[in-house]
Amino acid sequence: MGRFTTGAGAWRPLSGPSHQLALEILLDGPLSRAELTRRVDLSAGSLTRLTKPMLESGLLVEVPGGPTDPRVGRPSQPLDIVPTSHHFVGVKVTGDAALGVLTTLRAEVIATEERKLPDHSPDTVADAIVELVHSLSDGRPQVTGLGISVGGHVSSSGEVLHGDFLAWEDVPFQRIVGERVDAQVVVANDVTAVTEAIHWFGAGRGLSRFCLLTIGAGVGYGLVVHDKLVDTIESGLGLVGHIRLDPDGPPCHRGHRGCADVMFTTHAITSQISEAHGRQVGYDECLDLAKNGDPEARRVVGAAGYALGRLIAAASNFTMPEAVMLGGEGVQLATVAQDELQAGLRSDRHPSAVPPPILLQDPSFTQWARGAAVIAIQTFVLGK
Ligand SMILES: [Zn+2]
């Protein structure tokens, strides 16, 4: 696979205080010049000087509709971002496939595509991602940034220290892909990426504190406090997966009884119900069986919901979020086992504590890839 070129000048970073301006307009635009000078603490002259190249490059546009400016006697023209001025590709890598999306600067998904992975060697996975970028951007404007997310432990320099579903140890994947494409490449943990997508462009907008629990092949946790992602070297270790929630639950491979990993991952639920029924039962069918009163499915799904409620209580007690987001492909558990979830939540909360709003997120797999794109968008706007 040859080096993929996204076009001359594709990667042109913002400079200096332009980052803060672009960020304010991206998240809250259109904004008037008066509002911007207040928010970024600039003189009107400095604002004009900084926004001029951003207007000329097509990143910003003046839109009609502002109030009349008393100094000039005509309507002011608020500034907005042109979402299609920059495009980003986000790719989520699983054990089986690389799923990609092409997005605008405001993380609107324009196209999706998938590539099966014939094996897990870093070169094979990198080539599949380059193919995805090539195909997604075919005939479209240049790609500014490429974000890649994986389940597992990723360093701040994009080295995959441990990849959960790829059996990778210490793979400098950001560098490996960066050598193949001209766009800026960033690699991040998948839950971190989705948390940032919710934070900047989703249900977390305007909240100072929220947490995200993802339910699926594993259990993930992301946290935003004071409007900032809490990101440590331990993000991606799957720390909440082994919190013990049910003393009567099955044991996990690390010897915990009833930890999150064996209570409500998709595998935990399907394996218990499949065993009881003597055949392979898929996740959706497990939830349907529970809904329709199948006793064994009801017991397993109910215990899973109760355990999830206890985990939400623990997250709420420790981090006092304004809302708890539930995401991941297994999120329908929260609907089918709603009563058990609420009972588990109540059991570990103070009776006077207000229950946190629980906001269910889109469980489609596209959201993971969109999260990866948001990491690339953040890198561009913040100049990280
Ligand atoms: Zn465990």
Side-chain angles (χ1 to χ4, degrees):
M1 170 67 54
R3 186 177 170 85
F4 172 63
T5 304
T6 50
W11 171 237
R12 192 170 47 221
L14 297 170
S15 61
S18 307
H19 292 294
Q20 189 58 30
L21 276 175
L23 179 61
E24 296 290 339
I25 302 170
L26 174 68
L27 297 183
D28 294 331
L31 291 171
S32 71
R33 288 173 182 271
E35 174 66 20
L36 277 166
T37 53
R38 256 196 309 278
R39 287 190 182 204
V40 189
D41 195 20
L42 286 171
S43 69
S46 297
L47 183 75
T48 302
R49 183 174 54 77
L50 285 170
T51 51
K52 191 163 176 272
M54 294 159 87
L55 283 159
E56 284 170 356
S57 73
L59 174 65
L60 295 184
V61 65
E62 288 181 318
V63 295
T68 299
D69 183 336
R71 288 168 304 176
V72 291
R74 56 183 164 78
S76 66
Q77 292 194 304
L79 293 169
D80 203 0
I81 283 273
V82 179
T84 51
S85 62
H86 291 268
H87 290 81
F88 298 83
V89 170
V91 179
K92 155 85 173 176
V93 182
T94 71
D96 313 313
L99 181 76
V101 294
L102 180 74
T103 77
T104 68
L105 185 51
R106 279 214 168 105
E108 296 137 327
V109 174
I110 298 170
T112 64
E113 246 182 81
E114 191 176 336
R115 288 283 182 286
K116 293 284 172 217
L117 297 175
D119 64 70
H120 290 167
S121 86
D123 282 327
T124 303
V125 179
D127 286 343
I129 290 173
V130 173
E131 265 183 50
L132 267 178
V133 175
H134 197 63
S135 179
L136 281 165
S137 59
D138 189 28
R140 298 174 200 270
Q142 60 205 25
V143 171
T144 300
L146 163 62
I148 300 164
S149 76
V150 298
H153 195 194
V154 183
S155 78
S156 57
S157 61
E159 185 168 353
V160 180
L161 304 173
H162 173 79
D164 285 344
F165 304 106
L166 297 162
W168 285 359
E169 300 292 334
D170 303 323
V171 174
F173 199 55
Q174 191 165 300
R175 182 172 64 70
I176 291 171
V177 179
E179 287 167 357
R180 289 165 158 83
V181 296
D182 267 354
Q184 173 148 29
V185 179
V186 56
V187 179
N189 167 261
D190 54 359
V191 179
T192 295
V194 170
T195 307
E196 285 288 41
I198 294 171
H199 179 205
W200 274 36
F201 299 107
R205 285 282 308 279
L207 298 182
S208 171
R209 295 182 313 283
F210 73 86
C211 61
L212 164 71
L213 279 164
T214 61
I215 311 163
V219 182
Y221 180 67
L223 177 65
V224 167
V225 176
H226 299 314
D227 203 20
K228 270 185 110 62
L229 176 84
V230 178
D231 193 13
T232 79
I233 188 68
E234 294 183 337
S235 301
L237 285 180
L239 296 173
V240 305
H242 290 282
I243 293 179
R244 293 171 226 222
L245 299 163
D246 184 345
D248 299 322
C252 82
H253 68 277
R254 287 177 52 189
H256 313 132
R257 202 160 264 289
C259 69
D261 238 28
V262 286
M263 290 306 294
F264 52 76
T265 53
T266 46
H267 175 74
I269 290 172
T270 56
S271 61
Q272 291 180 80
I273 295 174
S274 296
E275 196 181 318
H277 282 264
R279 66 180 174 90
Q280 197 56 44
V281 186
Y283 186 71
D284 290 344
E285 191 188 347
C286 286
L287 295 188
D288 283 344
L289 285 168
K291 235 187 303 190
N292 296 329
D294 175 84
E296 189 57 26
R298 194 67 243 169
R299 185 191 67 75
V300 170
V301 168
Y306 191 86
L308 176 59
R310 291 196 66 193
L311 187 62
I312 294 171
S316 305
N317 291 341
F318 276 117
T319 59
M320 304 171 210
E322 293 164 89
V324 175
M325 316 291 172
L326 282 186
E329 58 275 21
V331 74
Q332 282 312 320
L333 170 68
T335 309
V336 177
Q338 197 180 140
D339 293 346
E340 291 92 340
L341 186 156
Q342 289 296 334
L345 178 59
R346 276 194 306 274
S347 76
D348 288 1
R349 290 279 282 172
H350 190 281
S352 304
V354 178
I358 297 173
L359 308 179
L360 302 194
Q361 305 298 302
D362 178 352
S364 73
F365 223 78
T366 308
Q367 295 307 313
W368 291 102
R370 180 170 174 265
V374 169
I375 294 290
I377 292 169
Q378 291 186 321
T379 304
F380 169 67
V381 176
L382 300 175
K384 287 198 273 195

